[in-house]
Amino acid sequence: MSTTQIASPRVALVTGGSGGIGRAVAERLGAEGMAVAVHYAGNRNRAQETADAITAAGGRSVPVTADVSDEGAVTAMFDRVQETFGGIDVVVNTAGIMLLAPLAELDLDDFDRMHRTNVRGTFTVSQQAARRVRPGGAIINFSSTVVKLTLPTYAAYAATKGAVDAMTMILAKEMRGRDVTVNAIAPGPTATPLFLEGKPQQAVESLKNMAPLERLGEPVDIAEAVAFLAGPARWVNGQVLYINGGVA
């Protein structure tokens, strides 16, 4: 177990923290006693609602904004978090987009959009996190179970998440001697707008029944795993954790 003295209170930055899984993660980390910076890209009101919910529960939280693919904007966001809370201990990259089509039919502009957010965005945020997270901290990226499931229409999205897997495992080794863990969470089908949008009910039911538990995941299920990696899981490092109810 790490002997590093962890700062108290700890500070977390959650990208994509204004809704869906990101909001559940931000609120759970707030409940764990962390001060939470809630990142948003375009909807400040939703980020403020998340921050207000954390504050109402007795925590500390502020909304912060950046285009995660923009190096300068991400640097400024990290600066603000450090200036507001005095440091950073946990960085969670939930920000991402999913655009589906058969590989032969996918508009390459859509592929580039996903790559810019899911790959470049994760890389840019992870780069700042690697430079700033304090000893005893954690960097947690977001992959996806579809990397293993190889479902039709998911080729481009899964490709971006495969890239996240690779950079996560390599960064964990590059952080040698820093006492900072680096892992990825790979959710399965989870009841969020990102997942449900545009899917017919029959498709949703089919995906739900893939899990032995016969339900979709909920954002709070994923947030539990993030809280584990952000807190007590100091010997889990360089891993991709599949949080999917047994789908794969």
Side-chain angles (χ1 to χ4, degrees):
M1 185 173 180
S2 168
T3 58
T4 300
Q5 184 175 0
I6 298 173
S8 181
R10 301 177 78 204
V11 177
L13 166 62
V14 181
T15 71
S18 62
I21 290 173
R23 176 165 183 166
V25 167
E27 292 186 356
R28 178 56 185 271
L29 296 183
E32 293 289 324
M34 298 187 197
V36 183
V38 179
H39 161 266
Y40 68 96
N43 194 326
R44 192 186 194 286
N45 289 338
R46 288 177 62 196
Q48 187 64 60
E49 288 172 4
T50 303
D52 289 345
I54 294 169
T55 302
R60 293 194 300 159
S61 184
V62 294
V64 293
T65 188
D67 173 352
V68 293
S69 66
D70 184 316
E71 180 183 8
V74 170
T75 299
M77 175 176 66
F78 272 78
D79 286 344
R80 185 182 175 203
V81 175
Q82 289 184 302
E83 289 164 3
T84 302
F85 294 125
I88 301 177
D89 302 286
V90 175
V91 174
V92 187
N93 275 305
T94 75
I97 59 175
M98 179 170 64
L99 304 169
L100 304 180
L103 187 148
E105 300 172 16
L106 183 76
D107 188 321
L108 287 177
D109 286 342
D110 287 343
F111 181 84
D112 290 343
R113 282 178 59 202
M114 281 193 289
H115 188 279
R116 187 165 181 82
T117 297
N118 299 356
V119 180
R120 181 184 169 94
T122 299
F123 192 98
T124 303
V125 172
S126 294
Q127 189 173 65
Q128 288 298 317
R131 297 170 180 171
R132 303 189 194 218
V133 168
R134 294 184 286 203
I139 300 169
I140 304 165
N141 292 325
F142 262 67
S143 178
S144 173
T145 292
V146 299
V147 175
K148 289 176 70 173
L149 292 179
T150 63
L151 297 174
T153 74
Y154 282 83
Y157 178 72
T160 67
K161 294 305 185 177
V164 170
D165 289 356
M167 73 175 77
T168 297
M169 291 182 281
I170 292 169
L171 180 57
K173 294 181 178 179
E174 292 178 346
M175 296 297 284
R176 175 180 291 275
R178 293 275 304 279
D179 192 23
V180 172
T181 61
V182 186
N183 294 287
I185 293 284
T190 305
T192 65
L194 177 70
F195 172 77
L196 295 172
E197 185 176 357
K199 289 185 175 67
Q201 188 59 35
Q202 182 178 0
V204 173
E205 288 297 317
S206 176
L207 289 164
K208 179 180 76 173
N209 289 325
M210 290 175 68
L213 298 176
E214 296 186 332
R215 68 173 177 87
L216 294 176
E218 296 292 338
V220 292
D221 296 320
I222 313 305
E224 283 186 0
V226 173
F228 173 66
L229 292 177
R234 299 307 303 162
W235 197 236
V236 181
N237 192 27
Q239 304 299 314
V240 178
L241 273 62
Y242 285 81
I243 311 301
N244 57 32
V247 167

